Amino acid sequence: MAGSKASRLPGSAALRRAALLFSARAVNPAVSLGFSLVMPRILTVEDFGIYGWALARIFIVQAIAEVGLQQSLIRFLSPALQSGDQAEFRRVLRASLQLKLYALAAIVGLTALYLGAIYLLNQFGGSFPVGLLPAAHPDQLSLTCIIVLGGVGLSILSYLDSILVAHERFTRLSLWLPSVGLIRFGLLAVFLIAFGGRLRSEHVLFAFALGPYLAIALFFCFYPARVFLERPPSAEWRPLVGKLLRFNVWMLAAAFLAIVSDWMEVLVISDESDSGHFNAARMPMQ
């Protein structure tokens, strides 16, 4: 009896992998929290409010762009890798890429329609209350683009994260994932020097949004890019797109609702000064 219980206990290798995964996943949020804690010291209350307002929307775009793939990739790739079935691995990876492209195309299309509607309303809307649309003021169009780019970048980051987890490359993950926060700090330092220490919310948000894309480029120092270029026959992977979507739909809804509920107050506060004070108050709770 004691022997059977001992056989079910995780070995040292499994514990080491779990520790590496935990450290990789813990360091990045800690660095991101440090990034957010620096913001109140270099931004005005109003700019800090805009930063929080945009950050909430970046996370919503991320949840939509992920399409639940962060969990389902591990679920479907891991068995194929453990059994050595490279053909199944390529099929699932290709199907996930296609689903990802569908989500990104939908986000880009909706953003283009939104920006086009704002432009037309500002040009020809007359007395239409353009302020009813979030970020509808012409001066905030660049902010809308940063929000979309930031959410898409984070979703690609989580996608690549899941591939390393499925491969159980936890050491590589622990080396690569913290680079996002470090790159953001580096960009922030460059902006502080370039603008003489006077930063606006758009500078900080640009650093936040650009960081994942530079980290994505570093990803291919840890994982071969050729894997993503392999193209199995479409008849083999296309049925898996629907399977992944059906598996992901509830996770997508849960992620969306969790983020909206977590950032509900920031989403409904319209005054930048009030939003800045609220963000400063909620920061210690994070």
Side-chain angles (χ1 to χ4, degrees), residues 184-196:
R184 285 171 177 159
F185 269 117
L187 291 171
L188 196 63
V190 170
F191 292 160
L192 281 169
I193 295 170
F195 295 101

Side-chain angles (χ1 to χ4, degrees), residues 51-69:
Y51 169 76
W53 180 93
L55 203 61
R57 286 153 177 82
I58 285 175
F59 292 144
I60 291 175
V61 174
Q62 176 192 359
I64 297 170
E66 281 180 348
V67 208
L69 285 173

Side-chain angles (χ1 to χ4, degrees), residues 110-165:
L110 289 172
T111 303
L113 287 173
Y114 181 75
L115 295 177
I118 291 172
Y119 173 79
L120 292 174
L121 288 172
N122 277 288
Q123 293 294 319
F124 311 108
S127 60
F128 183 86
V130 181
L132 291 176
L133 294 175
H137 193 277
D139 294 340
Q140 293 182 323
L141 295 184
S142 60
L143 185 60
T144 302
C145 294
I146 291 175
I147 289 170
V148 173
L149 289 173
V152 168
L154 288 175
S155 75
I156 297 173
L157 199 74
S158 68
Y159 177 84
L160 299 177
D161 171 318
S162 299
I163 291 175
L164 285 181
V165 172

Side-chain angles (χ1 to χ4, degrees), residues 29 43 45 48 71 82 95 108 122 128 130 165 193 251 271 285:
L43 295 176
V45 173
F48 189 54
Q71 289 78 25
Q82 290 172 3
V108 170
N122 277 288
F128 183 86
V130 181
V165 172
I193 295 170
M251 288 185 288
D271 183 78
M285 295 185 289

Side-chain angles (χ1 to χ4, degrees), residues 38-54:
V38 171
M39 295 307 101
R41 299 182 178 275
I42 62 177
L43 295 176
T44 64
V45 173
E46 289 76 13
D47 276 328
F48 189 54
I50 295 172
Y51 169 76
W53 180 93

